[in-house]
Amino acid sequence: MADFAYEDLLPIGADETPYRLLTTEGVRAVDGPGGRTFLEVDPEALRLLTETAMHDIAHYLRPAHLQQLRTILDDEEASNNDKFVALDLLKNANIAAGGVLPMCQDTGTAIVMGKRGQHVLTAGTDEQAISEGVYDAYTRLNLRYSQMAPITTWEEKNTGSNLPAQVELYADTLPGHAAQYKFLFMAKGGGSANKSYLYQETKAILNEDAMMRFLDEKLRSLGTAACPPYHLAIVIGGTSAEFALKTAKYASAKYLDTLPTSGSMTGHGFRDTELEERVLELTRQFGIGAQFGGKYFCHDVRVVRLPRHGASLPVAIAVSCSADRQVLGKITADGVFIEQLETDPARFLPDAGAVDLGEHEDEAVGVSSTSRNVVVKVDLTQPMDEILAELSRHPVKTRLSLSGPLVVARDIAHAKIKERLDAGEEMPQYLKDHPVYYAGPAKTPEGMPSGSFGPTTAGRMDSYVDQFQAAGGSKVMLAKGNRSKQVTDACDAHGGFYLGSIGGPAARLAQDCIKHVEVLEYEELGMEAVWKIDVEDFPAFIVVDDKGNDFFAEVSKPMAFTISKRPGLQ
């Protein structure tokens, strides 16, 4: 029998976060029994911290994330498509930092995790004050309401405020933490949330070769719908399945970066930094890259090893996407503090013309583009047959510049149109005449034609494609992420195309590319309505063509496993 020993399951190291002071009001140190000092925190301090956090993560990013984007631009091994995506994301960050347009149209589920010291005193329900801060941010800013309240098991309605938030508060009993209240704030969009996975495995994969083969397969299946380059987190083990998943989410937010890097008999979690490097190298050999081919599928990788029950081996995977939205906060006797994010992302932008994307424009009719560096201008005011003929001249991965009208429709609109087709009605003419863009806008700022308006995940509309194309609609689709074989087969059979839009730069699209927005149908659905938008120089890539080619099909196949260690690793 072993001697008793205790260590925190996730022993996080010292907090070196740069913070800025929000206020000294609403917090005070008070004397208590036994000579102890207590921290009194007013509800307003919790509300203000939360509202500020939700504002900041909608508009600002951490400097380290921005530097990673700049590194792509400076890397000679990065593909031109990697660099194009990275440059667009840096431009997007610069626009979002103006505080008007959020960096992503999916402004996410508000998630707040707090650790409250033993000597922290509050009045009322902390969760309510925090939720008020979420409410104030989402209703006052140009953010989107995404939360659906279940009315019955089958019926749901948008809450109109982005509440409820996910608020989890824990007791913090560690030495030195008694008089402090610390927080992690996150805004998790549907795309990245949907790429959280749990696998129940066995000890058979607890060796390096088996684990790498496992990860080779599973990580490719992440695809690009969650807007890479990713911050990837992998958790091996866990005292429960839910703890493994939660740890993966925290690790993807860099919250666990200061864990130890080796284990011990106390069973605490630790980071395996050598395996992190190997997995990062694995992802760079996929060929998926930053959405449209290349090296930068991931910015970085975190691998956390946890203790486990001998009969259970959960493996959890999570990502933080190009909208890397999280921030730390704390309340002490000195005031209310929030992590300092980057408010001047322009300093990470290269000088104009400094990045060579190897590109040139090609407007010649009848010329086949065989170079991925050609930028093909496509006039969307043409009849659909002419648009299809133009796209048919170019291979997958060709970069496009779209100008003209698009119809915008996503999940609920697709379901309603399917009901009409099933009832024997005609396909709406607007889906026959124009490409369809799967998207839903955030609020429109005063004086602008559009709010942040980036693409949503294409895969959710896969089941509609064959029926819609057979009825003459959805011949050209525009969204983000990879699609299933049924879409490739439908495009092959009906002469259709799926175009990939860069996932992430929703603010830049709104400011620079979208010139007019109007509702066509289902206005009562809000952002889920059918819209018509006019775009100018809207970037896209051919992903699936009318000949049955799919860019993602090849890069999704696991490789013959020959991954070697990066030079310098032991």
Side-chain angles (χ1 to χ4, degrees):
M1 181 177 66
D3 294 335
F4 174 80
Y6 173 79
E7 188 170 7
D8 196 46
L9 194 55
L10 292 173
I12 301 174
D15 184 5
E16 304 293 339
T17 305
Y19 289 97
R20 65 184 176 93
L21 176 67
L22 291 182
T23 184
T24 57
E25 297 180 3
V27 296
R28 65 201 68 85
V30 296
D31 294 331
R36 290 175 293 180
T37 299
F38 288 75
L39 176 67
E40 252 185 353
V41 179
D42 293 342
E44 171 57 20
L46 295 172
R47 188 210 65 78
L48 174 65
L49 176 58
T50 304
E51 181 185 20
T52 305
M54 291 301 152
H55 167 275
D56 284 9
I57 59 180
H59 294 283
Y60 309 132
L61 291 158
R62 286 172 168 158
H65 175 88
L66 293 163
Q67 181 57 58
Q68 286 174 313
L69 289 172
R70 177 56 191 264
T71 297
I72 297 174
L73 299 181
D74 296 334
D75 185 356
E76 293 182 356
E77 294 181 354
S79 72
N80 289 323
N81 284 354
D82 277 340
K83 293 181 179 182
F84 181 76
V85 171
L87 184 58
D88 226 37
L89 290 171
L90 279 174
K91 291 176 181 177
N92 187 70
N94 196 50
I95 292 168
V100 177
L101 291 166
M103 69 182 73
C104 179
Q105 81 286 343
D106 183 350
T107 48
T109 297
I111 300 173
V112 183
M113 187 273 285
K115 293 183 177 180
R116 176 173 162 169
Q118 298 177 85
H119 296 169
V120 176
L121 306 176
T122 60
T125 304
D126 292 5
E127 292 87 347
Q128 179 173 333
I130 291 167
S131 295
E132 287 176 358
V134 171
Y135 175 88
D136 289 344
Y138 277 84
T139 55
R140 294 174 182 174
L141 301 170
N142 297 311
L143 309 184
R144 197 174 83 183
Y145 307 142
S146 299
Q147 303 309 304
M148 307 298 290
I151 307 305
T152 68
T153 300
W154 319 120
E155 180 189 4
E156 57 187 8
K157 294 184 179 178
N158 194 298
T159 62
S161 64
N162 215 56
L163 292 178
Q166 179 180 322
V167 182
E168 300 179 6
L169 303 180
Y170 300 92
D172 186 349
T173 59
L174 292 177
H177 294 193
Q180 65 181 23
Y181 206 161
K182 303 195 75 174
F183 297 90
L184 169 65
F185 299 93
M186 305 177 73
K188 200 70 174 172
S192 60
N194 292 345
K195 296 303 178 181
S196 297
Y197 291 107
L198 174 71
Y199 303 96
Q200 295 286 14
E201 298 300 317
T202 70
K203 183 174 170 52
I205 68 167
L206 278 185
N207 64 80
E208 192 168 14
D209 288 343
M211 180 62 70
M212 294 299 285
R213 284 193 296 270
F214 171 84
L215 293 174
D216 182 30
E217 175 189 352
K218 302 306 182 186
L219 297 180
R220 289 173 187 271
S221 70
L222 290 172
T224 61
C227 309
Y230 296 133
H231 300 282
L232 172 65
I234 301 163
V235 173
I236 303 169
T239 49
S240 65
E242 59 270 23
F243 188 74
L245 279 168
K246 186 174 293 187
T247 302
K249 179 176 286 187
Y250 293 160
S252 72
K254 307 299 181 69
Y255 185 73
L256 303 179
D257 273 11
T258 56
L259 284 176
T261 55
S262 61
S264 74
M265 286 303 295
T266 61
H268 63 78
F270 66 89
R271 283 181 59 190
D272 186 336
T273 53
E274 180 177 335
L275 187 53
E276 289 174 0
E277 288 294 322
R278 290 207 67 195
V279 174
L280 180 61
E281 189 64 25
L282 172 71
T283 67
R284 290 182 171 176
Q285 295 190 31
F286 287 168
I288 300 173
Q291 306 187 29
F292 302 105
K295 172 182 174 182
Y296 282 94
F297 186 57
C298 295
H299 284 304
D300 48 44
V301 177
R302 297 292 180 267
V303 176
V304 177
R305 181 67 161 92
L306 293 178
R308 68 183 185 96
H309 184 287
S312 178
L313 181 59
V315 178
I317 294 174
V319 300
S320 185
C321 65
S322 59
D324 189 37
R325 292 175 297 198
Q326 56 266 326
V327 70
L328 299 176
K330 66 178 182 179
I331 301 176
T332 69
D334 295 323
V336 180
F337 297 86
I338 193 166
E339 180 181 355
Q340 179 64 63
L341 301 182
E342 181 58 63
T343 59
D344 182 25
R347 68 188 181 91
F348 293 93
L349 281 167
D351 294 336
V355 179
D356 181 12
L357 300 177
E359 62 188 21
H360 64 275
E361 293 180 353
D362 181 6
E363 300 182 77
V365 175
V367 175
S368 175
S369 169
T370 57
S371 168
R372 73 183 67 178
N373 300 332
V374 167
V375 183
V376 177
K377 289 202 167 190
V378 180
D379 179 5
L380 301 181
T381 64
Q382 302 175 90
M384 179 55 68
D385 286 346
E386 294 182 25
I387 295 173
L388 294 170
E390 173 62 30
L391 294 175
S392 191
R393 298 184 183 105
H394 307 286
V396 294
K397 286 204 288 187
T398 297
R399 182 143 62 91
L400 309 173
S401 177
L402 309 177
S403 296
L406 294 169
V407 168
V408 178
R410 46 182 279 159
D411 306 66
I412 297 177
H414 274 70
K416 287 184 173 293
I417 292 169
K418 176 176 169 53
E419 290 174 0
R420 289 155 61 172
L421 294 177
D422 291 344
E425 298 179 34
E426 289 289 317
M427 170 65 67
Q429 192 63 37
Y430 52 72
L431 280 183
K432 294 182 178 181
D433 293 342
H434 305 295
V436 58
Y437 179 38
Y438 304 157
K443 294 178 199 168
T444 301
E446 185 175 352
M448 296 190 69
S450 169
S452 292
F453 210 154
T456 197
T457 303
R460 299 201 308 272
M461 268 55 75
D462 283 6
S463 62
Y464 301 101
V465 173
D466 186 62
Q467 182 183 17
F468 281 28
Q469 289 192 344
S474 295
K475 288 296 185 71
V476 179
M477 302 161 287
L478 176 66
K480 67 173 181 176
N482 46 300
R483 308 201 69 169
S484 63
K485 188 175 184 299
Q486 67 185 124
V487 172
T488 305
D489 292 344
C491 289
D492 188 18
H494 304 295
F497 289 83
Y498 166 54
L499 311 181
S501 176
I502 301 173
R508 197 193 77 77
L509 293 175
Q511 176 176 286
D512 299 339
C513 301
I514 299 175
K515 304 303 180 182
H516 178 74
V517 178
E518 62 180 281
V519 176
L520 286 181
E521 196 170 13
Y522 303 124
E523 184 172 9
E524 69 277 7
L525 298 180
M527 69 97 176
E528 292 264 10
V530 176
W531 306 78
K532 182 179 179 183
I533 65 174
D534 292 318
V535 302
E536 184 177 298
D537 293 328
F538 192 108
F541 295 77
I542 299 176
V543 175
V544 176
D545 68 13
D546 57 347
K547 306 169 189 68
N549 298 308
D550 176 4
F551 159 65
F552 287 110
E554 187 62 32
V555 296
S556 296
K557 297 176 183 176
M559 67 179 66
F561 200 75
T562 57
I563 283 292
S564 59
K565 294 183 180 180
R566 181 177 293 179
L569 287 182
Q570 301 299 317

